[in-house]
Amino acid sequence: MTDFFPLNTGARIPAVGLGTWEADGEACTRAVRFAALEAGYRHIDCSHLYGNEIQVGLALREILGDGGGIKREDLFLTSKLWFTAKTPRHVETCVDASLRNLGLDYLDLYLLHWPTPAPMGDATDPPPAAALEHREEVRQIKESWQVMEALLATNKVRAIGVSNFGISQLQELLGSCLIVPAVNQVELHPFWRQDDLVEFCKRKGIHVSAHTPLGIPGTNIGSLQLPTSVVAAIAEELGKTPAQVILRWGLQRGTSVLPRSLTPERIKLNIDILDWCLADDDWKAINAMEPQVRLINGTFSYLSENAPLQAVKEDEVEQAENI
Ligand SMILES: NC(=O)c1ccc[n+]([C@@H]2O[C@H](COP(=O)([O-])OP(=O)(O)OC[C@H]3O[C@@H](n4cnc5c(N)ncnc54)[C@H](OP(=O)(O)O)[C@@H]3O)[C@@H](O)[C@H]2O)c1
Protein backbone atom coordinates (compact mmCIF):
# COMPACT_ATOMS: atom_id res chain seq x y z
CA MET A 1 0.00 0.00 0.00
CA THR A 2 1.24 3.49 -0.81
CA ASP A 3 -1.36 5.71 0.81
CA PHE A 4 0.92 8.59 1.78
CA PHE A 5 4.38 10.01 1.17
CA PRO A 6 6.36 11.76 3.92
CA LEU A 7 7.17 15.46 3.61
CA ASN A 8 10.26 17.15 5.02
CA THR A 9 7.96 18.96 7.48
CA GLY A 10 7.05 15.68 9.21
CA ALA A 11 3.55 15.76 7.67
CA ARG A 12 2.32 13.25 5.11
CA ILE A 13 0.85 13.97 1.69
CA PRO A 14 -1.78 11.56 0.34
CA ALA A 15 -0.52 9.53 -2.60
CA VAL A 16 -3.51 10.44 -4.78
CA GLY A 17 -5.16 13.84 -4.89
CA LEU A 18 -8.00 15.19 -6.99
CA GLY A 19 -6.98 17.85 -9.50
CA THR A 20 -9.39 20.76 -9.96
CA TRP A 21 -8.01 22.73 -12.90
CA GLU A 22 -10.79 23.50 -15.38
CA ALA A 23 -13.39 21.94 -13.11
CA ASP A 24 -16.15 24.49 -13.19
CA GLY A 25 -19.41 25.24 -11.47
CA GLU A 26 -21.60 22.62 -9.86
CA ALA A 27 -19.72 19.84 -11.62
CA CYS A 28 -16.64 20.85 -9.61
CA THR A 29 -18.56 20.82 -6.32
CA ARG A 30 -20.08 17.44 -7.17
CA ALA A 31 -16.72 15.94 -8.13
CA VAL A 32 -14.96 17.08 -4.96
CA ARG A 33 -17.82 15.89 -2.77
CA PHE A 34 -17.96 12.52 -4.53
CA ALA A 35 -14.19 12.12 -4.43
CA ALA A 36 -14.01 12.64 -0.68
CA LEU A 37 -17.21 11.00 0.46
CA GLU A 38 -17.60 8.11 -1.99
CA ALA A 39 -14.12 7.42 -3.34
CA GLY A 40 -11.86 8.09 -0.35
CA TYR A 41 -9.76 11.00 -1.65
CA ARG A 42 -8.14 13.02 1.12
CA HIS A 43 -6.16 15.50 -0.98
CA ILE A 44 -7.70 18.21 -3.16
CA ASP A 45 -5.31 20.23 -5.33
CA CYS A 46 -6.57 23.80 -5.81
CA SER A 47 -5.35 27.17 -6.96
CA HIS A 48 -6.61 30.71 -6.86
CA LEU A 49 -5.78 30.70 -10.57
CA TYR A 50 -8.39 28.04 -11.33
CA GLY A 51 -11.16 30.46 -10.39
CA ASN A 52 -13.20 27.72 -8.69
CA GLU A 53 -12.13 27.69 -5.06
CA ILE A 54 -15.61 28.84 -4.08
CA GLN A 55 -17.05 25.75 -5.76
CA VAL A 56 -14.47 23.52 -4.06
CA GLY A 57 -15.31 25.29 -0.79
CA LEU A 58 -19.00 24.46 -1.14
CA ALA A 59 -18.07 20.77 -1.27
CA LEU A 60 -15.61 21.11 1.61
CA ARG A 61 -18.29 22.59 3.83
CA GLU A 62 -20.39 19.45 3.28
CA ILE A 63 -17.45 17.08 3.61
CA LEU A 64 -16.31 18.64 6.87
CA GLY A 65 -19.85 19.22 8.15
CA ASP A 66 -22.06 16.87 10.13
CA GLY A 67 -23.26 15.07 7.00
CA GLY A 68 -19.76 14.41 5.70
CA GLY A 69 -18.14 13.39 8.93
CA ILE A 70 -14.55 13.88 7.76
CA LYS A 71 -12.23 15.72 10.14
CA ARG A 72 -10.21 18.67 8.91
CA GLU A 73 -6.98 17.04 10.05
CA ASP A 74 -7.73 14.05 7.82
CA LEU A 75 -7.94 16.21 4.69
CA PHE A 76 -4.98 17.68 2.83
CA LEU A 77 -5.68 20.92 0.99
CA THR A 78 -3.23 22.49 -1.42
CA SER A 79 -3.52 25.90 -3.02
CA LYS A 80 -1.13 28.04 -5.03
CA LEU A 81 0.05 31.60 -5.20
CA TRP A 82 -0.05 33.26 -8.58
CA PHE A 83 3.20 34.86 -9.55
CA THR A 84 2.21 38.50 -9.70
CA ALA A 85 1.87 38.44 -5.92
CA LYS A 86 5.20 39.12 -4.28
CA THR A 87 5.12 41.48 -1.36
CA PRO A 88 3.85 40.19 1.98
CA ARG A 89 0.68 42.21 1.48
CA HIS A 90 -0.01 40.68 -1.93
CA VAL A 91 0.68 37.20 -0.69
CA GLU A 92 -1.58 37.58 2.33
CA THR A 93 -4.33 38.92 0.06
CA CYS A 94 -4.02 35.80 -2.06
CA VAL A 95 -3.85 33.28 0.74
CA ASP A 96 -6.72 34.98 2.58
CA ALA A 97 -8.86 34.82 -0.57
CA SER A 98 -8.12 31.10 -0.96
CA LEU A 99 -8.89 30.40 2.70
CA ARG A 100 -12.11 32.40 2.60
CA ASN A 101 -13.30 30.76 -0.61
CA LEU A 102 -12.39 27.28 0.54
CA GLY A 103 -13.87 27.93 3.99
CA LEU A 104 -10.70 26.89 5.80
CA ASP A 105 -8.52 28.22 8.64
CA TYR A 106 -5.33 26.88 7.11
CA LEU A 107 -3.92 25.19 4.04
CA ASP A 108 -1.80 22.06 4.33
CA LEU A 109 0.38 23.17 1.46
CA TYR A 110 0.84 26.47 -0.35
CA LEU A 111 2.83 26.50 -3.56
CA LEU A 112 4.53 29.17 -5.61
CA HIS A 113 2.58 28.31 -8.76
CA TRP A 114 5.26 29.13 -11.35
CA PRO A 115 8.90 30.17 -11.14
CA THR A 116 8.15 32.74 -13.79
CA PRO A 117 8.55 36.26 -12.51
CA ALA A 118 6.19 39.04 -13.36
CA PRO A 119 6.26 42.72 -12.53
CA MET A 120 4.73 43.38 -9.18
CA GLY A 121 1.07 44.18 -9.19
CA ASP A 122 -2.02 43.68 -7.18
CA ALA A 123 -2.49 40.05 -6.29
CA THR A 124 -5.61 39.91 -8.41
CA ASP A 125 -4.18 41.59 -11.50
CA PRO A 126 -3.67 39.41 -14.54
CA PRO A 127 0.02 39.16 -15.50
CA PRO A 128 0.96 42.32 -17.39
CA ALA A 129 1.99 41.92 -21.00
CA ALA A 130 5.52 42.98 -20.11
CA ALA A 131 5.91 39.74 -18.21
CA LEU A 132 6.07 37.93 -21.51
CA GLU A 133 9.52 39.31 -22.14
CA HIS A 134 10.78 38.08 -18.82
CA ARG A 135 9.09 34.80 -18.42
CA GLU A 136 12.26 32.72 -18.57
CA GLU A 137 14.01 34.81 -15.97
CA VAL A 138 14.33 33.66 -12.42
CA ARG A 139 15.61 36.77 -10.74
CA GLN A 140 12.62 37.20 -8.45
CA ILE A 141 12.37 33.65 -7.24
CA LYS A 142 14.33 34.31 -4.09
CA GLU A 143 12.29 37.37 -3.23
CA SER A 144 9.04 35.48 -3.70
CA TRP A 145 10.28 32.57 -1.62
CA GLN A 146 11.24 34.81 1.30
CA VAL A 147 7.65 36.01 1.36
CA MET A 148 6.45 32.40 1.34
CA GLU A 149 8.78 31.61 4.24
CA ALA A 150 7.32 34.49 6.22
CA LEU A 151 3.85 33.15 5.55
CA LEU A 152 4.58 30.01 7.57
CA ALA A 153 4.74 32.11 10.73
CA THR A 154 1.12 33.23 10.22
CA ASN A 155 -0.12 29.63 10.66
CA LYS A 156 -2.28 30.09 7.59
CA VAL A 157 -0.24 27.42 5.81
CA ARG A 158 1.35 24.27 7.25
CA ALA A 159 3.92 23.75 4.51
CA ILE A 160 5.27 25.71 1.57
CA GLY A 161 6.51 24.48 -1.75
CA VAL A 162 7.00 25.29 -5.39
CA SER A 163 5.54 24.23 -8.68
CA ASN A 164 6.93 23.95 -12.20
CA PHE A 165 10.49 24.45 -10.94
CA GLY A 166 13.33 22.88 -12.90
CA ILE A 167 16.71 21.87 -11.49
CA SER A 168 18.46 25.18 -12.11
CA GLN A 169 15.63 27.13 -10.53
CA LEU A 170 15.69 24.84 -7.51
CA GLN A 171 19.45 25.19 -7.25
CA GLU A 172 19.10 28.94 -7.24
CA LEU A 173 16.47 28.76 -4.55
CA LEU A 174 18.31 26.22 -2.40
CA GLY A 175 21.38 28.42 -2.47
CA SER A 176 19.64 31.07 -0.42
CA CYS A 177 16.51 29.73 1.22
CA LEU A 178 15.98 29.23 4.93
CA ILE A 179 13.29 26.64 4.40
CA VAL A 180 13.66 23.90 1.80
CA PRO A 181 10.45 23.52 -0.23
CA ALA A 182 8.38 20.58 0.99
CA VAL A 183 7.05 19.84 -2.50
CA ASN A 184 7.77 20.56 -6.14
CA GLN A 185 4.59 19.98 -8.16
CA VAL A 186 5.49 19.48 -11.82
CA GLU A 187 4.19 17.96 -15.02
CA LEU A 188 4.97 14.24 -14.98
CA HIS A 189 3.60 11.36 -17.02
CA PRO A 190 5.21 8.62 -19.10
CA PHE A 191 5.65 11.10 -21.96
CA TRP A 192 7.39 13.69 -19.77
CA ARG A 193 9.20 11.71 -17.12
CA GLN A 194 11.79 14.28 -16.03
CA ASP A 195 13.91 11.56 -14.40
CA ASP A 196 16.75 13.95 -13.54
CA LEU A 197 14.45 16.40 -11.82
CA VAL A 198 12.70 13.66 -9.83
CA GLU A 199 16.08 12.28 -8.75
CA PHE A 200 17.40 15.75 -7.85
CA CYS A 201 14.36 16.48 -5.67
CA LYS A 202 14.68 13.13 -3.95
CA ARG A 203 18.29 13.92 -3.03
CA LYS A 204 17.27 17.30 -1.62
CA GLY A 205 14.35 15.95 0.42
CA ILE A 206 11.74 17.64 -1.75
CA HIS A 207 8.66 15.52 -2.44
CA VAL A 208 7.53 15.57 -6.07
CA SER A 209 3.84 15.68 -6.99
CA ALA A 210 2.77 14.88 -10.54
CA HIS A 211 0.41 17.34 -12.15
CA THR A 212 -1.18 16.54 -15.49
CA PRO A 213 -0.45 12.88 -14.61
CA LEU A 214 -2.69 11.53 -17.36
CA GLY A 215 -1.41 13.91 -20.01
CA ILE A 216 -4.88 15.48 -20.30
CA PRO A 217 -6.31 12.77 -22.58
CA GLY A 218 -8.79 13.81 -25.18
CA THR A 219 -7.46 17.32 -25.61
CA ASN A 220 -5.49 18.89 -28.41
CA ILE A 221 -2.72 20.08 -26.13
CA GLY A 222 0.51 18.58 -27.41
CA SER A 223 0.40 15.31 -29.29
CA LEU A 224 -0.41 13.05 -26.42
CA GLN A 225 -3.39 10.78 -26.58
CA LEU A 226 -4.26 7.88 -24.33
CA PRO A 227 -4.09 4.98 -24.45
CA THR A 228 -0.83 4.20 -26.12
CA SER A 229 -0.18 0.69 -27.24
CA VAL A 230 2.42 0.02 -24.51
CA VAL A 231 0.18 1.19 -21.69
CA ALA A 232 -2.91 -0.38 -23.22
CA ALA A 233 -1.20 -3.78 -23.44
CA ILE A 234 -0.07 -3.64 -19.80
CA ALA A 235 -3.53 -2.51 -18.72
CA GLU A 236 -5.20 -5.36 -20.55
CA GLU A 237 -2.84 -7.91 -19.06
CA LEU A 238 -3.48 -6.63 -15.53
CA GLY A 239 -7.21 -6.06 -15.95
CA LYS A 240 -6.75 -2.36 -15.19
CA THR A 241 -7.46 0.78 -17.19
CA PRO A 242 -4.65 2.62 -19.02
CA ALA A 243 -5.14 5.57 -16.66
CA GLN A 244 -4.68 3.31 -13.63
CA VAL A 245 -1.46 1.90 -15.07
CA ILE A 246 -0.07 5.39 -15.66
CA LEU A 247 -1.05 6.60 -12.19
CA ARG A 248 0.36 3.48 -10.51
CA TRP A 249 3.62 4.04 -12.41
CA GLY A 250 3.68 7.52 -10.87
CA LEU A 251 3.28 6.14 -7.35
CA GLN A 252 5.96 3.51 -7.88
CA ARG A 253 8.52 6.17 -8.70
CA GLY A 254 7.73 7.88 -5.40
CA THR A 255 5.62 10.75 -6.70
CA SER A 256 2.11 11.57 -5.55
CA VAL A 257 -0.36 11.97 -8.42
CA LEU A 258 -3.15 14.51 -8.98
CA PRO A 259 -5.54 13.20 -11.63
CA ARG A 260 -8.55 15.35 -12.41
CA SER A 261 -11.90 13.87 -13.35
CA LEU A 262 -15.48 15.02 -13.15
CA THR A 263 -16.75 11.51 -13.89
CA PRO A 264 -17.67 9.48 -10.78
CA GLU A 265 -16.60 6.15 -12.23
CA ARG A 266 -13.18 7.53 -13.23
CA ILE A 267 -12.76 9.34 -9.94
CA LYS A 268 -13.12 5.95 -8.23
CA LEU A 269 -10.90 4.08 -10.66
CA ASN A 270 -8.14 6.70 -10.46
CA ILE A 271 -7.63 6.11 -6.75
CA ASP A 272 -7.99 2.35 -6.97
CA ILE A 273 -4.25 2.01 -7.51
CA LEU A 274 -2.97 1.59 -3.98
CA ASP A 275 -2.91 -2.17 -3.44
CA TRP A 276 -1.35 -3.59 -6.57
CA CYS A 277 1.96 -3.17 -8.38
CA LEU A 278 3.47 -3.00 -11.82
CA ALA A 279 5.94 -5.80 -12.47
CA ASP A 280 9.56 -4.91 -13.31
CA ASP A 281 9.14 -5.54 -17.04
CA ASP A 282 6.09 -3.31 -17.25
CA TRP A 283 7.86 -0.66 -15.22
CA LYS A 284 10.82 -0.73 -17.59
CA ALA A 285 8.60 -0.63 -20.68
CA ILE A 286 6.87 2.53 -19.44
CA ASN A 287 10.22 4.09 -18.54
CA ALA A 288 11.31 3.64 -22.15
CA MET A 289 8.28 5.24 -23.75
CA GLU A 290 8.87 7.87 -26.40
CA PRO A 291 8.49 10.64 -27.39
CA GLN A 292 9.05 12.95 -24.43
CA VAL A 293 6.72 15.90 -24.82
CA ARG A 294 6.09 18.73 -22.39
CA LEU A 295 2.45 19.77 -22.51
CA ILE A 296 2.25 22.66 -20.05
CA ASN A 297 4.93 25.30 -20.50
CA GLY A 298 3.26 28.31 -18.96
CA THR A 299 2.94 30.43 -22.07
CA PHE A 300 -0.83 29.96 -21.90
CA SER A 301 -0.84 32.18 -18.88
CA TYR A 302 0.28 35.14 -20.94
CA LEU A 303 -1.15 34.34 -24.30
CA SER A 304 -4.63 33.18 -23.47
CA GLU A 305 -7.35 35.69 -23.96
CA ASN A 306 -8.89 34.35 -20.80
CA ALA A 307 -6.03 35.67 -18.70
CA PRO A 308 -6.21 33.20 -15.93
CA LEU A 309 -6.07 35.07 -12.70
CA GLN A 310 -9.63 35.94 -12.00
CA ALA A 311 -10.36 38.57 -9.44
CA VAL A 312 -12.05 37.27 -6.35
CA LYS A 313 -15.62 38.42 -6.63
CA GLU A 314 -16.80 39.74 -3.30
CA ASP A 315 -20.43 38.76 -3.85
CA GLU A 316 -19.40 35.17 -4.53
CA VAL A 317 -17.31 35.12 -1.39
CA GLU A 318 -20.26 36.38 0.63
CA GLN A 319 -22.49 33.81 -1.01
CA ALA A 320 -20.10 31.05 -0.01
CA GLU A 321 -19.71 32.42 3.50
CA ASN A 322 -23.47 32.40 4.02
CA ILE A 323 -23.82 28.69 3.32
N1 LIG B 1 0.90 23.34 -10.81
C1 LIG B 1 0.52 23.51 -12.06
O1 LIG B 1 0.99 24.41 -12.77
C2 LIG B 1 -0.50 22.58 -12.65
C3 LIG B 1 -0.64 22.50 -14.05
C4 LIG B 1 -1.58 21.61 -14.57
C5 LIG B 1 -2.33 20.82 -13.70
N2 LIG B 1 -2.18 20.92 -12.34
C6 LIG B 1 -2.97 20.11 -11.40
O2 LIG B 1 -2.96 18.77 -11.84
C7 LIG B 1 -4.30 18.34 -12.04
C8 LIG B 1 -4.38 17.28 -13.13
O3 LIG B 1 -3.94 17.78 -14.37
P1 LIG B 1 -4.95 18.12 -15.56
O4 LIG B 1 -6.25 18.46 -14.98
O5 LIG B 1 -4.28 19.09 -16.42
O6 LIG B 1 -5.02 16.79 -16.44
P2 LIG B 1 -5.06 15.22 -16.21
O7 LIG B 1 -5.44 14.87 -14.82
O8 LIG B 1 -3.82 14.68 -16.77
O9 LIG B 1 -6.26 14.87 -17.20
C9 LIG B 1 -7.56 15.30 -16.94
C10 LIG B 1 -8.45 14.76 -18.05
O10 LIG B 1 -8.40 13.34 -18.05
C11 LIG B 1 -9.70 12.78 -18.10
N3 LIG B 1 -9.63 11.57 -17.29
C12 LIG B 1 -9.57 11.50 -15.94
N4 LIG B 1 -9.53 10.23 -15.54
C13 LIG B 1 -9.56 9.47 -16.65
C14 LIG B 1 -9.56 8.08 -16.87
N5 LIG B 1 -9.54 7.22 -15.85
N6 LIG B 1 -9.61 7.63 -18.15
C15 LIG B 1 -9.66 8.51 -19.20
N7 LIG B 1 -9.67 9.84 -19.04
C16 LIG B 1 -9.63 10.32 -17.78
C17 LIG B 1 -10.60 13.85 -17.52
O11 LIG B 1 -11.89 13.79 -18.10
P3 LIG B 1 -13.24 13.55 -17.23
O12 LIG B 1 -13.38 14.72 -16.29
O13 LIG B 1 -14.28 13.50 -18.29
O14 LIG B 1 -13.07 12.24 -16.52
C18 LIG B 1 -9.91 15.14 -17.92
O15 LIG B 1 -10.35 15.58 -19.17
C19 LIG B 1 -5.04 19.63 -12.38
O16 LIG B 1 -6.44 19.48 -12.34
C20 LIG B 1 -4.45 20.57 -11.37
O17 LIG B 1 -5.00 20.35 -10.09
C21 LIG B 1 -1.26 21.79 -11.82
Side-chain angles (χ1 to χ4, degrees):
M1 297 282 277
T2 321
D3 291 7
F4 294 90
F5 291 105
L7 298 181
N8 62 15
T9 57
R12 300 185 309 166
I13 188 169
V16 183
L18 184 74
T20 62
W21 183 31
E22 296 196 329
D24 298 324
E26 282 178 27
C28 173
T29 306
R30 273 199 303 274
V32 173
R33 184 175 48 222
F34 181 87
L37 297 181
E38 308 290 335
Y41 285 67
R42 291 296 177 265
H43 180 190
I44 313 293
D45 180 65
C46 312
S47 175
H48 182 55
L49 168 72
Y50 303 160
N52 59 3
E53 287 189 328
I54 287 175
Q55 283 71 33
V56 175
L58 293 175
L60 292 179
R61 284 167 175 83
E62 290 183 54
I63 293 163
L64 295 167
D66 292 342
I70 295 178
K71 292 189 202 138
R72 173 65 187 91
E73 57 268 32
D74 294 332
L75 273 188
F76 192 100
L77 269 300
T78 297
S79 188
K80 310 184 190 89
L81 176 74
W82 196 232
F83 55 73
T84 47
K86 290 205 190 63
T87 67
R89 183 177 68 80
H90 293 138
V91 174
E92 286 227 25
T93 303
C94 255
V95 80
D96 287 347
S98 288
L99 288 173
R100 208 168 46 232
N101 291 339
L102 293 168
L104 301 174
D105 297 331
Y106 68 91
L107 294 166
D108 296 279
L109 179 64
Y110 201 48
L111 303 177
L112 210 52
H113 203 143
W114 282 88
T116 332
M120 203 146 58
D122 188 272
T124 51
D125 283 343
L132 186 58
E133 295 163 22
H134 302 294
R135 68 172 183 268
E136 297 306 326
E137 294 177 20
V138 292
R139 62 189 158 78
Q140 289 171 5
I141 289 174
K142 292 174 186 172
E143 184 190 325
S144 299
W145 188 251
Q146 279 170 359
V147 177
M148 292 287 281
E149 288 176 333
L151 192 58
L152 272 178
T154 67
N155 290 327
K156 292 178 182 177
V157 304
R158 296 273 161 99
I160 53 174
V162 295
S163 180
N164 299 300
F165 273 50
I167 291 177
S168 63
Q169 291 153 338
L170 283 171
Q171 278 169 332
E172 180 151 347
L173 182 64
L174 293 173
S176 67
C177 68
L178 296 175
I179 295 165
V180 173
V183 168
N184 186 19
Q185 184 187 116
V186 294
E187 177 180 337
L188 290 179
H189 43 72
F191 298 91
W192 192 241
R193 289 187 294 274
Q194 304 206 67
D195 291 331
D196 292 348
L197 176 62
V198 172
E199 186 51 37
F200 178 86
C201 289
K202 203 186 217 175
R203 282 204 312 276
K204 301 295 178 185
I206 302 169
H207 173 74
V208 181
S209 278
H211 76 56
T212 327
L214 299 171
I216 332 178
T219 67
N220 293 325
I221 303 179
S223 57
L224 183 61
Q225 294 292 326
L226 287 177
T228 68
S229 52
V230 173
V231 171
I234 296 170
E236 194 176 343
E237 185 191 310
L238 292 175
K240 305 291 179 189
T241 67
Q244 286 178 308
V245 167
I246 286 179
L247 295 170
R248 179 67 215 182
W249 167 83
L251 295 196
Q252 277 181 229
R253 69 201 301 239
T255 63
S256 51
V257 292
L258 305 167
R260 169 193 32 120
S261 178
L262 297 174
T263 314
E265 190 191 353
R266 288 174 173 173
I267 291 173
K268 270 192 170 174
L269 284 170
N270 290 348
I271 199 171
D272 186 11
I273 57 169
L274 301 174
D275 58 357
W276 52 275
C277 275
L278 293 173
D280 267 3
D281 286 352
D282 295 340
W283 166 260
K284 283 180 190 150
I286 296 176
N287 282 327
M289 277 169 64
E290 294 295 340
Q292 292 294 292
V293 184
R294 182 176 183 174
L295 301 179
I296 310 276
N297 61 17
T299 49
F300 66 88
S301 57
Y302 303 103
L303 303 177
S304 165
E305 282 185 4
N306 308 313
L309 188 64
Q310 298 169 10
V312 179
K313 297 189 186 111
E314 284 305 323
D315 56 333
E316 285 181 321
V317 173
E318 276 166 27
Q319 180 197 332
E321 278 173 347
N322 289 334
I323 287 170

